[in-house]
């Protein structure tokens, strides 16, 4: 049952990264505007971050979809969600009126159109999926399982009873 929950978490998080990355990479100019709207990076870093972020998201999504290096990818996902949540929270605290650009779009919006609480709550939910996979990366239909990494490898028993004395 726990492997099924993990599989759903892995595939759900893969979908988040793949959709987010695809939407951002399809409109690089808008992604640049979204990154710039947070007003935290030096001007010279806005372009590289706007270029690298969708590529990183797509890479994370592909690794999770395949179930390859699930635990390390979950760790990177966790860190990225912490950065994104902090960026949204600082925008809110500073009184900026922006759309997070988390799934494309982004940039300045009218003051009444911000959705900071919903964006933080949504990203916290995604962060919890990453926490699950970090703690328990064993999932069905994954390259990790096929390669024998982690729990669930039929060739490697859960417990080695060869050293237990007979009668115990």
């Amino acid at each position: 049952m726990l492997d099924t929950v993990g599989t759903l978490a892995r595939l759900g998080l893969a979908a988040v990264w793949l959709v987010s990355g695809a939407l951002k990479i399809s409109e690089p100019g808008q992604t640049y505007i979204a990154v710039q709207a947070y007003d935290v990076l030096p001007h010279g870093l806005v372009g590289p971050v706007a270029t690298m972020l969708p590529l990183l998201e797509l890479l994370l999504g592909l690794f999770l979809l395949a179930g390859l290096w699930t635990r390390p990818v979950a760790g990177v996902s966790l860190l990225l969600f912490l950065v994104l949540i902090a960026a949204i929270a600082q925008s809110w605290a500073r009184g900026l009126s922006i759309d997070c650009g988390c799934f494309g779009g982004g940039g300045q919006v009218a003051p009444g159109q911000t959705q900071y609480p919903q964006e933080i709550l949504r990203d916290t939910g995604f962060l919890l999926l990453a926490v699950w996979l970090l703690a328990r990366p064993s999932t069905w239909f994954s390259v990790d399982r096929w390669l024998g990494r982690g729990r669930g490898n039929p060739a490697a028993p859960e417990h080695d009873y060869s050293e237990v004395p007979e009668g115990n």
Side-chain angles (χ1 to χ4, degrees), residues 33-125:
I33 291 169
V35 171
Q36 188 176 38
Y38 283 95
D39 194 29
V40 292
L41 295 174
H43 182 71
L45 288 180
V46 172
V49 168
T51 300
M52 295 306 295
L53 183 60
L55 296 173
L56 175 61
E57 291 175 346
L58 289 171
L59 190 62
L60 293 172
L62 289 172
F63 278 128
L64 286 169
L65 186 62
L68 179 61
W69 296 322
T70 303
R71 179 172 276 149
V73 171
V76 172
S77 296
L78 174 72
L79 292 175
L80 188 52
F81 282 121
L82 288 172
V83 168
L84 294 172
I85 291 167
I88 294 166
Q90 70 82 30
S91 297
W92 188 10
R94 291 173 52 210
L96 300 178
S97 294
I98 65 171
D99 175 279
C100 75
C102 297
F103 289 93
Q108 299 295 321
V109 296
Q113 292 183 332
T114 59
Q115 297 183 350
Y116 297 127
Q118 298 93 320
E119 292 166 348
I120 290 171
L121 188 60
R122 179 202 56 218
D123 286 355
T124 300

